[in-house]
Amino acid sequence: MTPAEKEVAELCVELIRVDSSNYGDGSGPGERAAAEVVMARLAEVGIESTYIESAPGRGNVITRVEGTDPSLPALLVHGHLDVVPANAADWSVDPFAGEVRDGYIWGRGAVDMKDMDAMMLAVLRQLTREGRRPRRDLVFAWLADEEAGGTYGAKHLTAHHPELFEGVTEAISEVGGYSLEVDPSLRLYLIETAQKGLAWMRLVADGTAGHGSMLNSDNAVTEIARAVARVGAHDWPTTLTPTVRRFLTEVADAFGIPFDEDAPEPILERIGPLVRFVGATLHHTANPTQLDAGYKSNVIPGQAAAVVDGRFLPGHEDDFFKTVDSLIGPKVRREFVHHDIALETTFDGALVESMIAALKAEDPTARAIPYCMSGGTDNKTFFADLGVRGFGFVPLRLPAGMDFASMFHGVDERVPVEALQFGVRVLDRLLLDY
């Protein structure tokens, strides 16, 4: 067992034990304590790092490893140090104890994404101790605030310290590289190459305020309710992007079933719980999430509002907003709460070939396939604005039947120790040889 394999679980546990919950309103503990763990473990093996605090307690750590061939473009390897909050009463273990039980590490961040943070540390420490150098420059970044949009992490660094990413053309981070066992002779490894766009929209209706006992044909509450009902009930048609079409084709081939573009449901049924990641990538979605109207039971308010969580497919943003606007109607205006681009790259090139080779070297049954995720990561928007081509690649060989998707932001989040050990072996090969 390599040094990285021996220590990756310990590093993951240490990071989980640091509560870096991100509540999205600035009230959390921040990432500084977790960043200090990273810096201390880097310093132990003589690695200098840069610490940037974008706001009090919001810490980011970056270090660059020089490659042997300066003519090659650099690769960014990044993870986020913040986690979503956890209600301890809902868990069967303390979510911040980093308990190791039944071959799993339990705790908030075990898969999202202190597992990758630990894998990055373990591999980098091993390369440094052994005096091995990669072919190209590697930029390692442990970032703040991914769970609330990246304002204090990727956004701050790319806006104010773009020089840290000089020469970087590609990046790997969450969510991808995990396995789906078809049978003992074949595992599919899903590599994220696309992400849906994000449109958190505030819908606002203006009306005529008045007494609740009187007739009112210009009721803002009625207008917003109709608009929200139309948006929420809309049946978005299936639209297969290049990534989704290839994903469905690959899964159908792996399971030996036909691929009918008009009826992809039998294919999705074969991937089990992972449908949570990809089921919503066959079409746009627009889910109403908040309502706000009125201040007294007998007063008709002059304004009513709602919030809709919209996610649009890569290459189809204009169609999405055209449809939303037609659904809400002319009496309701649409404002952005938050808007992010959709992202899609092709499943080809030297980095993809290296990821496939590294997976197959550690798992001969591996077959890598691209997929689109319905959410978003730091690979989108900020690094894309620097011209960086991002992939989701956190290599994990998972036990058959593990409900991996439910671990993300879920109760009793956990990751197999053996999966982490597999991951550092794959990352070591990838980062050294690419």
Side-chain angles (χ1 to χ4, degrees):
M1 187 177 288
T2 66
E5 290 176 84
K6 291 178 181 177
E7 70 176 11
V8 66
E10 177 185 339
L11 292 169
C12 187
V13 166
E14 185 176 16
L15 287 168
I16 288 172
R17 288 176 176 171
V18 178
D19 182 355
S20 52
S21 297
N22 188 344
Y23 295 91
D25 59 2
S27 64
E31 299 84 3
R32 180 172 182 169
E36 288 174 344
V37 169
V38 171
M39 290 187 292
R41 296 295 165 255
L42 293 175
E44 281 181 350
V45 295
I47 300 174
E48 295 184 1
S49 58
T50 299
Y51 177 70
I52 296 176
E53 198 165 84
S54 53
R58 311 310 300 270
N60 301 271
V61 181
I62 304 93
T63 189
R64 181 182 284 257
V65 179
E66 290 188 2
T68 58
D69 187 349
S71 69
L72 294 174
L75 174 68
L76 171 64
V77 186
H78 63 96
H80 61 83
L81 293 170
D82 61 323
V83 298
V84 296
N87 182 5
D90 296 333
W91 288 55
S92 60
V93 299
D94 180 343
F96 297 104
E99 183 175 333
V100 181
R101 183 205 296 179
D102 302 326
Y104 287 77
I105 300 172
W106 298 59
R108 178 57 84 217
V111 299
D112 189 14
M113 61 173 303
K114 290 181 176 178
D115 56 344
M116 181 60 163
D117 294 332
M119 290 159 61
M120 291 162 57
L121 268 177
V123 170
L124 182 51
R125 283 162 59 92
Q126 177 172 286
L127 291 177
T128 304
R129 282 170 170 154
E130 297 174 353
R132 294 182 294 150
R133 292 178 62 191
R135 295 177 60 237
R136 67 189 66 236
D137 281 13
L138 302 175
V139 178
F140 287 79
W142 291 264
L143 304 171
D145 198 36
E146 191 276 342
E147 296 292 2
T151 298
Y152 299 104
K155 182 177 182 178
H156 178 85
L157 294 181
T158 54
H160 300 285
H161 303 278
E163 71 281 356
L164 294 171
F165 309 103
E166 183 179 355
V168 170
T169 59
E170 295 170 310
I172 60 172
S173 188
E174 59 176 354
V175 176
Y178 52 87
S179 68
L180 167 65
E181 185 169 315
V182 176
D183 58 49
S185 67
L186 177 61
R187 288 188 188 90
L188 301 179
Y189 284 84
L190 280 62
I191 298 177
E192 180 260 297
T193 60
Q195 300 177 17
K196 292 178 78 175
L198 170 65
W200 289 343
M201 300 169 287
R202 186 170 184 261
L203 309 182
V204 183
D206 293 310
T208 302
H211 199 287
S213 68
M214 298 180 182
L215 296 175
N216 189 318
S217 61
D218 188 29
N219 190 315
V221 176
T222 303
E223 194 64 46
I224 202 69
R226 289 171 178 161
V228 168
R230 289 192 296 266
V231 171
H234 183 67
D235 187 13
W236 295 93
T238 297
T239 303
L240 301 184
T241 62
T243 296
V244 173
R245 179 175 283 104
R246 178 162 179 183
F247 170 80
L248 293 172
T249 301
E250 294 274 9
V251 173
D253 178 72
F255 283 97
I257 59 176
F259 171 33
D260 182 351
E261 291 194 11
D262 296 323
E265 290 78 12
I267 299 174
L268 296 178
E269 290 172 2
R270 294 300 184 102
I271 66 174
L274 289 180
V275 74
R276 294 190 186 96
F277 281 148
V278 301
T281 63
L282 277 64
H283 46 73
H284 303 305
T285 59
N287 290 309
T289 57
Q290 292 177 276
L291 291 170
D292 181 21
Y295 55 90
K296 198 171 185 294
S297 58
N298 64 344
V299 176
I300 298 172
Q303 187 176 93
V307 174
V308 174
D309 183 332
R311 311 284 174 139
F312 52 88
L313 297 170
H316 298 272
E317 182 174 353
D318 291 344
D319 167 69
F320 172 79
F321 287 118
K322 181 179 179 180
T323 302
V324 169
D325 289 343
S326 69
L327 290 170
I328 63 177
K331 293 185 178 180
V332 176
R333 66 179 183 274
R334 171 173 56 83
E335 304 169 349
F336 281 129
V337 177
H338 188 67
H339 179 209
D340 270 347
I341 62 169
L343 198 65
E344 185 168 32
T345 188
T346 53
F347 191 59
D348 56 18
L351 176 56
V352 170
E353 292 171 2
S354 294
M355 288 190 285
I356 293 172
L359 285 169
K360 290 189 72 67
E362 295 300 331
D363 181 1
T365 74
R367 181 195 296 181
I369 64 173
Y371 88 103
C372 175
M373 68 175 296
S374 56
T377 73
D378 276 339
N379 267 338
K380 190 166 64 175
T381 307
F382 311 123
F383 293 123
D385 285 348
L386 295 182
V388 176
R389 185 185 182 209
F391 296 87
F393 189 70
V394 177
L396 297 171
R397 186 172 63 198
L398 302 171
M402 179 181 177
D403 187 357
F404 186 61
S406 71
M407 298 295 105
F408 285 78
H409 299 190
V411 172
D412 288 342
E413 182 181 348
R414 57 196 181 275
V415 65
V417 172
E418 289 185 354
L420 295 182
Q421 294 168 341
F422 170 83
V424 295
R425 295 196 302 270
V426 173
L427 282 178
D428 184 89
R429 286 181 180 275
L430 173 66
L431 300 181
L432 195 67
D433 297 339
Y434 172 54

